Amino acid sequence: MRGSASSEYLDLLCLGPAGRTAVEFKYVTRQWSGTAGTPPEEYALRGHNAPDVARRDFLRDIGRLERFCDREDQNGLALLITNEASLWHPRQRRMPTRDEEFRIHHGRELSGTLLWASGSFPDNTQVLRGAYTLAWRPYVQLEGTGAEFRCLAVFITPNPAQPPPPHEA
């Protein structure tokens, strides 16, 4: 995004006659190997082994998309596909984790200021202007352990407080 103090990048920008849609993708995997598709193709996925970082990065994407949606003709989509069940299932923990406020399990509502480790890492703080209720959906079920894939889509609406800039000739 130009015009700001630092550059930001998008995974995909879709342009249409009625506006623009920015898309951010995340594909986080746990280890799995098997065959899928027609014709069958062999896959060997490695495990990313850092669901806390995946959560943080996904919320950064949402924040980036909110900044992009500063005009009424711009919206966004943050999309996460994973077979890492700890991302969509909340777990009971005895002690809070450093990414407690960054949890993205099914049914969670994200909004406001989210602190990493109670604010001990200010660079990880994420402030959201919108409120998002998270709804994980089935993506594909393959064979074997770790073979259930789900997706999470978060839609970011335009910020009506910002008028669109005049069209350039």
Side-chain angles (χ1 to χ4, degrees), residues 27-32 45-52 54-55 80-89 91 104-105 136 146-151:
Y27 179 55
V28 177
T29 57
R30 67 178 281 193
Q31 190 171 2
W32 176 83
L45 303 180
R46 64 184 179 94
H48 288 100
N49 299 324
D52 58 340
R55 291 179 191 99
L80 171 60
I81 298 174
T82 186
N83 65 332
E84 178 58 67
S86 68
L87 294 176
W88 67 75
H89 281 302
R91 294 209 174 141
I104 57 172
H105 55 268
W136 285 88
E148 178 183 8
F149 287 77
R150 292 192 185 184
C151 65

Side-chain angles (χ1 to χ4, degrees), residues 79-135:
L79 183 63
L80 171 60
I81 298 174
T82 186
N83 65 332
E84 178 58 67
S86 68
L87 294 176
W88 67 75
H89 281 302
R91 294 209 174 141
Q92 297 298 325
R93 294 166 303 282
R94 285 180 262 171
M95 300 288 291
T97 61
R98 65 183 179 168
D99 71 324
E100 191 73 24
E101 293 186 17
F102 286 66
R103 295 293 166 145
I104 57 172
H105 55 268
H106 184 80
R108 168 92 195 272
E109 182 172 304
L110 297 172
S111 65
T113 300
L114 305 173
L115 302 174
W116 188 272
S118 301
S120 299
F121 295 87
D123 288 345
N124 286 349
T125 295
Q126 186 63 59
V127 179
L128 301 176
R129 73 166 164 81
Y132 308 97
T133 301
L134 305 180

Side-chain angles (χ1 to χ4, degrees), residues 29-42:
T29 57
R30 67 178 281 193
Q31 190 171 2
W32 176 83
S33 60
T35 304
T38 307
E41 191 170 340
E42 290 289 323

